Amino acid sequence: MKRTIRTTLLTTGALIAALGVPTTAAHADAPAPRIDLRVLIVSDGGPSTDAIAAELDAAGTPYTEIDLARADRSVIDADYLADTVDGRERARFQAVVLPNDNPFPADSPEMAALVAYEQAYDIPQVDAYTYARPEAGLQYPVYGGYSGSVDGARAEVTEAGRSGPFGYLEGAVPFEDNSPTVGESYAYLSTPVAGADFTPYVEAPIPGTARRGSLVGEYRHDGRRELVVTFVYNRYQQQFRLLARGIVQWMTGGVHLGASRNYFAVHVDDVFAADDRWNPALNCTPGDVDCTDPNATPDPIRMTPADVDHATAWQREHDFTLDLAYNGAGSVDHREDNNGADPLADRFVAERGAFRWINHTYTHAFLGCEQDTTVVPWRCATDADGGTKWVGRDDLSDEIAHNRVWGRIAGLPLDDGELVTGEHSGLRVLPQQPADNPNLTLALADNGITWLASDNSREPGQRQVGAATTVPRHPMNIFYNAGRAAEQVDEYNWIYTSRAQGGSGICEDNPATTTCLAAPLDTATGYTEHIVPLERQIALGHVLANDPKPHFIHQSNLAEDRIAYPVLDGVLQTYDALFAENTPVVNPRMKDIGSELRRRAAWHSAVQSGQVTAYRIGGTVTVEGPDGVAVPATMPEGTTRAGSPFGEAYAGERSGWTSSVTAPLTLTLPPSAAPSTATDAVGSAPATGPAPGTRVPEGVAEPVSPAAGN
């Protein structure tokens, strides 16, 4: 799809008075205006404005979106943008996001209203994706620039970007190139027009030259500030995820509601137990209820003391802590079979303080319905009346309590409120068990469980299960039944190739599956060359998306070939190469993740229902919200609340949650956070670019661009 960017040349000198928007100069002696902490997004349905909206939504930053395609949309005029509250001028939006530098028809009164509004209140404008042209402070690409694919390009944050809104990045901004047959990123690379007040923040090499062209830069003109972005993107692409924080920081001046972090937590399930192994000849897992072949002999995978030593050394190297979900019966059974010896448990207990520990039930029993395994796939057993037979409350409670006692005797540092059930059982699982085990809420209450793990691939939303709240976990596609790379690849091939290629045909039956293979992977190289890069990319995407949900793997993946480490290394090493020291990975434990998700849900509900009012007057920020709802905010360094520093330092700013408020929250900004002043006086002529009516130079193509790729 190609989208035309319309050129509208405006004379702004007389527009302010004509539209009734006050100018800064005309009100020099008036009280400082009130600037509401809300962003206006004007969307044309393209992926770039959608990506910025998604970034704001994830952080909890209020915004209003106007869809230009809707006939019933609000009209943007002076009254829509500004008014007066209690005798003080109010700007209703702290920033404006447009799909390009001017998405309106020629001589549009709406664009004129936005120009006047931005000039009057020093409101910044983000051009989410625009053509490089003099109206945006850049030369047409035909004059020594470039228009085309930037798949696989390595962009760099400039010195101005690192000292400004992108100071949380180390420097490199690599563009994805996931497929040689799919165009993923299109860009216009160009240099500033001579005399333009244009500061590039992110640049990339212009092909065929020794010069670099701007991809993101600030253009100051006519008393206005624009962030000019000249590459297309969607919300999932790594290049956008890297730059999203800086785009928001630039347009809000680092003063906005909402907060974000880069989170990464990894749960390792089944510690002390032994996981069943995939059998390449049978294409099933002996020991699993669905592997009924008479020749299916279990061949379990279990860690060794050397694997514990490797894990502790790996944690020290990466300054990262794994969460170990343990099953005490695994050690008890091992000792019974080995004359009381269990070197693995002994080593783990000796190193127990190096890890975080989570109750994973004693035997890893299935805690939902009673399973009828006489059929494949299994089904829920029923009583004589056809009702579902459920695992009882006492059995559920014993699994939880017995494992907790075992862990306490072993001296494991537990949080008694956290629980991961075996296979997330007890919770509903489709298609066999469409409802939770009704005894689950009772057993959770019996044991004081407040945080219960769930499978994000089944239930991405957090929900209440009695007194407990779920914590959705991302499953990594590193299989529980694989200790060796070749086993992982063989099972991967079975799942993701067609029947004609020797696979299960799952992809044929489910066309929406995105990891299907065109051909089987080589068992010797497929893990390193295909699975590891893909899983690294998926997990890193979660990290960069302000997503605190933990990932989970299994103890088998830390044994034998230790196949989890290449993926974990890839995530952390790539992250370290991309981000500055002021933006570390946040590695929370399960209960803190649950609290974060729950606070976000309460805040999002308050914002969506119009219960939050926030504004800035000079150097003071005021936030009013419902009683009992914590407030997330991001502010510049030096911001205080009641004389004490606000929030925590992260990514060059102060951010975090306030405690639940019962009165308006007041924050005091540092003097350095005073509103910026654009370089050109209000109403002055453009610094550069063609005068009104100037024709596009002959030979310059109509400004068009494709939509973002995958």
Side-chain angles (χ1 to χ4, degrees):
M1 180 185 78
K2 296 200 172 200
R3 188 171 69 253
T4 300
I5 298 177
R6 301 174 184 270
T7 302
T8 303
L9 301 173
L10 299 171
T11 57
T12 60
L15 286 174
I16 296 171
L19 292 167
V21 178
T23 69
T24 304
H27 292 262
D29 298 328
R34 163 178 157 170
I35 310 295
D36 281 3
L37 300 189
R38 175 173 287 269
V39 175
L40 175 63
I41 297 180
V42 180
S43 172
D44 64 353
S48 299
T49 48
D50 175 71
I52 293 175
E55 174 70 13
L56 298 178
D57 195 54
T61 304
Y63 66 93
T64 296
E65 186 167 8
I66 293 178
D67 184 349
L68 294 177
R70 291 187 56 166
D72 61 345
R73 69 174 177 84
S74 299
V75 175
I76 301 171
D77 57 19
D79 291 337
Y80 181 80
L81 296 168
D83 58 12
T84 301
V85 175
D86 297 330
R88 186 186 298 271
E89 294 174 7
R90 175 177 73 157
R92 297 184 61 221
F93 306 100
Q94 67 180 133
V96 173
V97 178
L98 300 182
N100 53 68
D101 63 300
N102 185 353
F104 299 97
D107 301 321
S108 165
E110 291 187 287
M111 189 67 213
L114 283 169
V115 168
Y117 173 71
E118 293 169 11
Q119 291 172 329
Y121 295 105
D122 189 28
I123 302 299
Q125 173 183 308
V126 174
D127 305 334
Y129 169 48
T130 197
Y131 181 62
R133 59 189 186 129
E135 290 83 357
L138 295 168
Q139 292 277 13
Y140 290 111
V142 72
Y143 297 139
Y146 170 78
S147 301
S149 172
V150 286
D151 293 359
R154 178 186 169 95
E156 293 280 346
V157 179
T158 65
E159 183 177 347
R162 286 194 297 273
S163 62
F166 299 98
Y168 57 90
L169 292 175
E170 191 68 27
V173 182
F175 276 58
E176 292 181 352
D177 186 11
N178 298 317
S179 171
T181 61
V182 177
E184 299 162 37
S185 297
Y186 193 97
Y188 302 105
L189 293 170
S190 187
T191 55
V193 171
D197 187 355
F198 191 101
T199 304
Y201 288 144
V202 181
E203 295 179 323
I206 297 175
T209 76
R211 300 188 310 279
R212 305 181 70 82
S214 179
L215 288 167
V216 182
E218 179 177 341
Y219 180 38
R220 294 187 173 220
H221 65 111
D222 300 324
R224 301 167 60 209
R225 294 177 291 134
E226 293 181 54
L227 191 71
V228 180
V229 183
T230 57
F231 71 96
V232 70
Y233 47 89
N234 64 45
R235 68 170 75 181
Y236 304 106
Q237 290 177 303
Q238 178 175 280
Q239 53 266 32
F240 171 72
R241 295 255 48 93
L242 290 172
L243 298 173
R245 180 186 296 274
I247 293 172
V248 174
Q249 197 280 342
W250 181 89
M251 69 176 165
T252 64
V255 178
H256 62 87
L257 297 183
S260 67
R261 296 283 190 276
N262 295 335
Y263 298 92
F264 191 43
V266 178
H267 293 185
V268 183
D269 289 3
D270 304 350
V271 170
F272 301 130
D275 288 301
D276 296 318
R277 188 188 306 275
W278 173 258
N279 186 308
L282 302 177
N283 289 323
C284 68
T285 306
D288 186 276
V289 295
D290 287 338
C291 189
T292 58
D293 191 294
N295 298 313
T297 302
D299 179 18
I301 309 162
R302 192 171 189 255
M303 294 176 68
T304 67
D307 296 325
V308 178
D309 293 339
H310 186 87
T312 55
W314 181 88
Q315 288 190 146
R316 286 193 299 270
E317 178 185 354
H318 292 281
D319 190 22
F320 189 88
T321 302
L322 297 168
D323 295 84
L324 305 185
Y326 73 96
N327 307 105
S331 177
V332 173
D333 292 345
H334 191 88
R335 291 187 191 279
E336 289 180 355
D337 294 338
N338 292 275
N339 299 315
D342 187 2
L344 171 65
D346 293 343
R347 190 69 188 133
F348 258 131
V349 170
E351 295 287 351
R352 59 188 177 273
F355 305 94
R356 293 191 292 250
W357 296 85
I358 305 173
N359 188 343
H360 193 28
T361 73
Y362 188 62
T363 69
H364 200 282
F366 189 83
L367 302 181
C369 62
E370 294 183 13
Q371 292 176 296
D372 176 359
T373 60
T374 62
V375 293
V376 177
W378 64 268
R379 63 190 175 193
C380 286
T382 57
D383 57 27
D385 296 327
T388 300
K389 290 184 177 180
W390 299 103
V391 175
R393 174 180 180 176
D394 290 344
D395 290 336
L396 285 162
S397 190
D398 285 349
E399 279 287 328
I400 300 168
H402 200 168
N403 203 50
R404 177 186 291 166
V405 170
W406 188 95
R408 288 297 181 200
I409 293 173
L412 304 183
L414 298 173
D415 187 292
D416 287 345
E418 299 176 340
L419 177 68
V420 180
T421 57
E423 301 178 58
H424 303 102
S425 60
L427 296 173
R428 58 197 180 211
V429 53
L430 297 176
Q432 295 103 319
Q433 184 191 310
D436 296 341
N437 183 342
N439 296 313
L440 179 62
T441 58
L442 303 173
L444 296 178
D446 291 342
N447 290 276
I449 301 300
T450 51
W451 302 109
L452 177 65
S454 61
D455 187 335
N456 187 76
S457 67
R458 298 173 182 168
E459 296 188 72
Q462 192 176 40
R463 66 181 176 98
Q464 289 299 120
V465 182
T469 307
T470 61
V471 179
R473 306 191 302 166
H474 291 294
M476 280 187 160
N477 216 6
I478 307 173
F479 303 138
Y480 84 96
N481 52 0
R484 303 186 181 103
E487 296 164 354
Q488 165 81 17
V489 176
D490 185 87
E491 185 175 5
Y492 201 91
N493 285 338
W494 167 252
I495 295 172
Y496 296 118
T497 60
S498 67
R499 293 180 179 89
Q501 295 169 323
S504 64
I506 290 175
C507 282
E508 295 168 275
D509 300 338
N510 300 275
T513 304
T514 58
T515 47
C516 297
L517 300 170
L521 302 175
D522 186 322
T523 55
T525 61
Y527 188 66
T528 300
E529 295 181 358
H530 180 88
I531 298 175
V532 168
L534 179 59
E535 289 305 305
R536 177 206 63 81
Q537 180 186 33
I538 292 171
L540 185 60
H542 297 151
V543 174
L544 303 186
N546 188 26
D547 182 353
K549 296 174 183 176
H551 296 74
F552 71 95
I553 55 175
H554 296 79
Q555 64 84 32
S556 52
N557 307 141
L558 304 186
E560 299 181 347
D561 286 355
R562 300 170 179 165
I563 60 177
Y565 290 111
V567 176
L568 303 185
D569 286 340
V571 172
L572 294 174
Q573 291 170 2
T574 302
Y575 185 92
D576 288 344
L578 295 173
F579 285 87
E581 292 185 3
N582 66 359
T583 313
V585 163
V586 178
N587 174 223
R589 72 173 301 141
M590 182 172 163
K591 69 174 183 179
D592 296 324
I593 294 168
S595 295
E596 172 71 16
L597 293 172
R598 189 163 62 184
R599 287 185 301 192
R600 288 188 188 189
W603 173 252
H604 187 268
S605 177
V607 170
Q608 292 298 107
S609 60
Q611 299 181 73
V612 175
T613 300
Y615 54 88
R616 170 182 180 172
I617 298 176
T620 301
V621 170
T622 302
V623 185
E624 301 172 2
D627 290 351
V629 174
V631 176
T634 300
M635 300 288 149
E637 280 285 358
T639 297
T640 59
R641 179 188 183 190
S644 299
F646 167 75
E648 300 174 342
Y650 193 80
E653 301 171 302
R654 305 287 301 186
S655 58
W657 292 87
T658 69
S659 56
S660 300
V661 295
T662 57
L665 168 69
T666 301
L667 301 174
T668 302
L669 301 173
S672 59
S676 301
T677 302
T679 55
D680 297 317
V682 173
S684 66
T688 60
T694 300
R695 295 173 59 85
V696 174
E698 188 172 345
V700 175
E702 178 76 8
V704 295
S705 58
N710 294 347

